[in-house]
Amino acid sequence: MKPSIPKGTRDFSPIEVANRTYIMNTIKTAFETFGFQPIETPSFENSGTLMGKYGEEGDRLIFKILNSGDFLKKADDALLSEKDSLKVTAQISEKALRYDLTVPFARYVVQHQNEITFPFKRYQVQPVWRADRPQKGRFREFFQCDADVVGSKSLWQEVEFIQLYDAVFSKLGLAGTTIKINNRKILSGIAEVIGAKDKLIDFTVALDKLDKIGKDGVVKEMLSKGITEEAIEKVQPLFDFTGSNIDKLTSLEKMLSTSEEGQSGVEELRFVINAIGELGLETAALEVDVTLARGLNYYTGAIFEVAAPEEVKMGSVGGGGRYDDLTGIFGLKDVSGVGISFGLDRIYLVLEELGLFKVVDLPKPKVIFLNFDATTDMLKMKAIQSLRANGIKSEFYPDLGVSNKQEKRQWKYVASRAILFVVSKVENDVFTLKNMNSGVQTNCSLSELVEKLK
């Protein structure tokens, strides 16, 4: 059987792992610079923790885990005969792979509320899983790099998250990113003034697809969800909103003059826009996008999405928003939170396409002991032990080279891994050390070898 991996997953070579680590370390450093602390949560949660938190579309993309043992034994025979997979699933699966890091974080906060000092600033860099259709930049297993604050309603948190996005992408050399911002209250206000408040979820889910299916596709989906043609006519101006951020806020203020919730959203957005206008950004641009909806039900305030530079055809490379009571579903009421996520895998593809990866050194020893004489193996291993105790990365070539071809294979190994120093010979406790860059060869004792390699 030919070996393969599931669609939407990938293997990573040493150089790919090094590049991914470079991105993760850049993000982690920024997180900690902004005061966030790391946590980790399990790769799978109880199904009840995840289901119903992401909307109907999100729930369909959650990977369910079959119960261990004979999982069909307790299933209802009638449901099995009906072949109703949705009803049967609840009886044969009690756990699921996490869909994102935010809902598990909300669960974590509630479980550990007595150990946490609020406001609590945490970051997580872990994989998540979605049963999505794989395509460029979209995988079924991928890493998210999240930062969230819970226990603060201050809009300065939104300001800092915009600065955090800018700091990370600037450090990665990825100039030209656009941080798009909207507010869920504005979307609620729009739904209210067009008479479609009862269709808010359908309205926002459809609107969020504008960049994927276009205006005609959005209109078609809204009609299919029971939103009237009259309501859609009133929302048409949103599709062609132009002007500066201030111009857009002025237009929204007029459009939402009869909606108290909509006006509140405009004022929150204005605070953030004005603050960033005064503080400035290094390389990113901030843009009010009134069609930005992000189809997750738990957002209640600001919503973010980061677009890659225009020359790269890629979906969003980050996103997030404000959620006022996500912990409430787990029993802890009135704890506001706001957070953002970096899409590691898409950022990788963007940096690769733009040639922005720095040359990353793969892990390798500083010195390698070649193996041409088995009688000195123990001396070499003791020397390596001393070198490692001094923090010097050292390696022993394990296979004895007794022929010219085998010796050449060892030197080829040195060259392919670009190892700088080689000990090719040990005689009477004297080590022959060669610098592969300069070609200079010296004889030294063990203590002298340690000093030279430090």
Side-chain angles (χ1 to χ4, degrees), residues 202-328:
D202 294 329
F203 171 72
T204 54
V205 167
L207 194 61
D208 196 49
K209 297 177 182 177
L210 182 64
D211 61 336
K212 300 182 185 76
I213 61 178
K215 183 166 69 174
D216 292 341
V218 170
V219 170
K220 184 178 179 181
E221 180 162 333
M222 285 184 176
L223 287 170
S224 72
K225 295 293 185 180
I227 299 172
T228 65
E229 288 188 17
E230 183 184 3
I232 294 171
E233 186 65 32
K234 290 179 181 176
V235 89
Q236 287 286 343
L238 289 182
F239 298 136
D240 304 302
F241 242 41
T242 55
S244 67
N245 288 334
I246 300 301
D247 292 337
K248 291 175 183 177
L249 291 175
T250 302
S251 298
L252 282 170
E253 199 167 33
K254 291 176 183 175
M255 179 185 287
L256 300 171
S257 59
T258 59
S259 170
E260 186 178 337
E261 186 175 14
Q263 288 288 343
S264 174
V266 172
E267 285 308 306
E268 289 181 10
L269 214 49
R270 181 176 280 115
F271 177 90
V272 175
I273 295 297
N274 288 342
I276 292 296
E278 191 162 338
L279 292 166
L281 296 174
E282 192 175 344
T283 62
L286 181 62
E287 177 189 315
V288 172
D289 182 352
V290 292
T291 66
L292 177 61
R294 292 193 64 79
L296 296 179
N297 287 350
Y298 53 66
Y299 289 130
T300 56
I303 40 182
F304 305 103
E305 196 158 278
V306 184
E310 288 184 4
E311 62 266 34
V312 182
K313 301 301 178 187
M314 183 67 66
S316 65
V317 292
R322 165 78 63 175
Y323 42 92
D324 274 338
D325 195 26
L326 187 58
T327 57

Side-chain angles (χ1 to χ4, degrees), residues 34 36 147 155-170 177-182 245 268-277 279-288 302-306 338-340 342:
F34 278 69
F36 293 87
L155 292 173
W156 285 111
Q157 305 292 356
E158 278 84 336
V159 172
E160 282 212 318
F161 277 124
I162 291 168
Q163 292 178 308
L164 179 54
Y165 268 137
D166 180 51
V168 168
F169 290 120
S170 298
T177 56
T178 301
I179 304 167
K180 298 179 181 181
I181 185 171
N182 197 9
N245 288 334
E268 289 181 10
L269 214 49
R270 181 176 280 115
F271 177 90
V272 175
I273 295 297
N274 288 342
I276 292 296
L279 292 166
L281 296 174
E282 192 175 344
T283 62
L286 181 62
E287 177 189 315
V288 172
I303 40 182
F304 305 103
E305 196 158 278
V306 184
V338 59
I340 61 171
F342 290 84

Side-chain angles (χ1 to χ4, degrees), residues 310-376:
E310 288 184 4
E311 62 266 34
V312 182
K313 301 301 178 187
M314 183 67 66
S316 65
V317 292
R322 165 78 63 175
Y323 42 92
D324 274 338
D325 195 26
L326 187 58
T327 57
I329 56 180
F330 300 117
L332 183 61
K333 297 289 185 183
D334 301 319
V335 178
S336 186
V338 59
I340 61 171
S341 180
F342 290 84
L344 170 69
D345 301 275
R346 288 189 177 184
I347 293 170
Y348 186 105
L349 293 173
V350 171
L351 294 180
E352 186 176 50
E353 188 167 331
L354 295 176
L356 293 176
F357 277 119
K358 297 176 182 178
V359 176
V360 179
D361 285 332
L362 294 176
K364 62 183 179 183
K366 189 170 187 179
V367 61
I368 185 168
F369 286 65
L370 299 186
N371 189 356
F372 303 143
D373 180 4
T375 64
T376 59

Side-chain angles (χ1 to χ4, degrees), residues 41-51 59-72 85-86 88-99 127-131 140-141:
T41 59
S43 57
F44 57 93
E45 298 269 352
N46 292 323
S47 298
T49 299
L50 303 178
M51 297 299 290
D59 281 354
R60 283 203 299 268
L61 301 181
I62 293 174
F63 275 109
K64 285 79 174 178
I65 300 173
L66 291 174
N67 294 339
S68 56
D70 188 357
F71 55 86
L72 286 178
S85 59
L86 292 178
V88 172
T89 298
Q91 298 188 352
I92 64 174
S93 172
E94 297 170 357
K95 300 175 187 68
L97 293 176
R98 62 173 171 239
Y99 175 91
V128 299
W129 294 265
R130 296 182 185 177
R140 288 176 171 172
E141 178 185 60

